[in-house]
Amino acid sequence: MEASSLLSCSSKTHFTFNLQLSSPPSSLYIHLVSFTPRTIRRNHHQVSCTTRSSLAVQEALEKSRDSVTVATTSAKEMMPKIDKSGRFCSPRAARELALLIVYASCLEGSDPIRLFEKRVNSRREPGYEFDKASLLDYNHMSFGGPPVTTETVEEADELLRNDEKESAIEAEILSAPPKLVYSKLLLRFTRKLLVAVVEKWDSHVRVIDKVVPPNWKDQPSGRILELSILHLAMSEIAVLGTRHPIVINESVDLAKRFCDGAAPRIINGCLRTFVKDLEGTRAAEASVTKGNVS
């Protein structure tokens, strides 16, 4: 894929991304399946086997089990809730869906709202069946984490099998028809997020160009995911008026889940700078308005 610049935007009235694909994808389904978070992170998730003394191994395993138990308990407490119809009803799920749409629209160079409506209204393929039970096994709060060390090859194989199983669940959910996965309330919220992104795209391109690191601007095609998270967060704060601590926390979690390296920390810093500048601008505008009224 070649990209002229994700941070540039056409002056025309329609929504453009200035992305050129050397081999355009045949369908949105390819984009959504390729955008499997665990698959992206799995390339950086290493499982290694080492030989150590029995005492050291036992202590390491006990610490590992304790940390896994705490993490699992915390994750279950924060799992997205399912409504009475058996669909996601957590705002986190809506933000994740919006991120998928923005990401796919960047790759296709298409309007995210139209892409969203196309997905929502698309007909199911003949013979397609969705396993609703998989929604209960899907965890929005699952992060890749550091490399894991196991005592035996069998334990390493077991970890890899579990990762593959979770990746298969994610691929099925993220590529399923939205009406089968998300409640009507979440679908409306997702559309509001996308409308806000389109409305503020041009102005936020200039803001992002000021706050992101130089290497992100130099290689925008490799930072589509991170830039999409920034657009979503800035638009939700500026247009929908969601409290910025909530949005920043959600954005950092999305970055932890879908991105690698220092992306969560950089996104956190970029959004805090954006909020500070936004509050300063609003305060100045309020002062001018008050002076005019007086």
Side-chain angles (χ1 to χ4, degrees):
M1 181 181 68
E2 296 178 355
S4 56
S5 176
L6 183 66
L7 294 177
S8 62
C9 195
S10 173
S11 58
K12 298 180 181 179
T13 55
H14 62 277
F15 198 69
T16 46
F17 291 86
N18 291 342
L19 284 175
Q20 298 177 351
L21 296 177
S22 56
S23 55
S26 58
S27 65
L28 174 62
Y29 178 78
I30 296 177
H31 286 319
L32 295 178
V33 172
S34 64
F35 183 59
T36 304
R38 286 190 181 277
T39 303
I40 293 174
R41 297 187 60 87
R42 196 66 65 239
N43 296 331
H44 302 273
H45 191 93
Q46 303 174 353
V47 180
S48 58
C49 296
T50 59
T51 57
R52 294 176 289 181
S53 65
S54 59
L55 180 59
V57 168
Q58 183 65 25
E59 291 178 351
L61 289 176
E62 289 178 357
K63 291 181 180 179
S64 177
R65 291 193 189 99
D66 292 340
S67 62
V68 169
T69 302
V70 172
T72 303
T73 303
S74 176
K76 288 183 177 180
E77 292 175 353
M78 303 182 70
M79 284 280 283
K81 295 182 179 180
I82 308 297
D83 63 11
K84 294 181 180 179
S85 64
R87 295 175 175 84
F88 285 147
C89 57
S90 166
R92 167 64 63 86
R95 293 184 178 97
E96 182 180 273
L97 175 60
L99 177 60
L100 260 69
I101 296 298
V102 173
Y103 176 78
S105 65
C106 285
L107 294 181
E108 289 191 349
S110 59
D111 184 289
I113 300 175
R114 292 182 180 179
L115 194 56
F116 171 73
E117 292 176 348
K118 179 181 178 181
R119 278 210 65 202
V120 171
N121 299 320
S122 62
R123 296 181 179 179
R124 305 180 198 175
E125 297 179 0
Y128 174 81
E129 293 183 3
F130 177 67
D131 182 13
K132 281 193 173 183
S134 62
L135 296 177
L136 299 176
D137 296 326
Y138 184 63
N139 184 5
H140 287 272
M141 300 301 297
S142 176
F143 305 135
V148 177
T149 301
T150 61
E151 182 182 4
T152 64
V153 175
E154 288 74 16
E155 290 181 5
D157 291 339
E158 181 66 22
L159 281 176
L160 292 175
R161 282 194 294 269
N162 291 335
D163 283 345
E164 291 174 356
K165 180 180 178 181
E166 293 177 1
S167 294
I169 293 174
E170 289 177 345
E172 180 178 6
I173 290 175
L174 297 181
S175 61
K179 289 182 179 179
L180 299 179
V181 179
Y182 308 92
S183 68
K184 293 182 178 179
L185 182 63
L186 285 195
L187 292 177
R188 287 196 295 267
F189 180 46
T190 301
R191 194 179 190 283
K192 286 182 179 180
L193 287 172
L194 297 175
V195 170
V197 169
V198 174
E199 178 184 339
K200 289 292 185 178
W201 183 270
D202 288 344
S203 60
H204 286 167
V205 162
R206 294 188 291 270
V207 174
I208 291 174
D209 188 57
K210 294 179 180 178
V211 298
V212 298
N215 62 316
W216 284 26
K217 293 186 286 185
D218 296 338
Q219 298 178 341
S221 61
R223 297 295 178 178
I224 295 176
L225 197 52
E226 290 85 346
L227 298 174
S228 297
I229 293 175
L230 287 175
H231 273 288
L232 273 172
M234 292 178 177
S235 300
E236 184 174 357
I237 293 171
V239 179
L240 302 187
T242 307
R243 293 176 59 245
H244 69 264
I246 295 175
V247 178
I248 293 176
N249 182 67
E250 291 285 295
S251 301
V252 170
D253 282 347
L254 285 174
K256 289 179 180 178
R257 183 159 170 74
F258 296 131
C259 307
D260 292 307
R265 177 178 57 81
I266 294 174
I267 286 176
N268 179 64
C270 290
L271 291 178
R272 291 190 181 281
T273 301
F274 167 75
V275 169
K276 183 179 179 180
D277 294 343
L278 181 64
E279 291 177 345
T281 301
R282 288 176 175 175
E285 291 176 351
S287 178
V288 171
T289 303
K290 183 178 180 180
N292 292 335
V293 172
S294 299

